[in-house]
Amino acid sequence: MDRNSDKTIILATTRRRENFGTRLDGYLTALNNFVHANEEVVLFYPIHPNPNVLKSMESCIAQSTRIVLLEPVEYPDFLYSTRSANLIVSDSGDIREEAARVSVRHY
């Protein structure tokens, strides 16, 4: 992941239980559609190990060289990833705080 590349790098995470099911499916489908509609975008997504997240990932994310699904990452590696992203999309307040700390746009 390189913030200085010619691609716009999005780092996305999901993990909140209240978002599992239809809400998570909609979130992932929207990310998938956005990446496929924008050639300059690459999505990095460290997958949360919860089976509910894995199930939604399998049904909502289409194969693409611009969608990179990652194994769960350790905290220091995740912090490095936040600094490399152009945009962070997450349902986690803690992650949004980290994004603000490293001056990355977040939603």
Side-chain angles (χ1 to χ4, degrees):
M1 192 180 321
D2 180 8
R3 193 175 190 175
N4 296 317
S5 77
D6 61 338
K7 300 288 186 187
T8 299
I9 297 172
I10 298 174
L11 175 63
T13 67
T14 53
R15 66 179 191 182
R16 297 182 62 90
R17 281 190 197 112
E18 60 267 23
N19 292 334
F20 292 166
T22 304
R23 184 179 289 174
L24 179 58
D25 290 352
Y27 172 80
L28 294 172
T29 299
L31 282 172
N32 181 70
N33 293 344
F34 183 80
V35 171
H36 286 281
N38 295 279
E39 288 292 322
E40 75 282 0
V41 172
V42 177
L43 173 69
F44 287 87
Y45 191 103
I47 301 171
H48 192 279
N50 186 299
N52 291 306
V53 175
L54 296 173
K55 180 181 174 186
S56 289
M57 290 297 299
E58 290 172 354
S59 66
C60 299
I61 298 292
Q63 293 290 341
S64 170
T65 58
R66 292 182 298 108
I67 297 177
V68 182
L69 303 178
L70 305 169
E71 294 295 319
V73 295
E74 296 295 324
Y75 187 68
D77 295 326
F78 185 79
L79 285 181
Y80 175 79
S81 298
T82 63
R83 292 181 181 98
S84 301
N86 299 102
L87 174 68
I88 297 173
V89 179
S90 180
D91 63 356
S92 168
D94 293 339
I95 291 171
R96 289 192 299 262
E97 287 177 18
E98 291 294 340
R101 190 171 299 128
V102 296
S103 300
V104 175
R105 289 181 293 172
H106 54 283
Y107 299 94

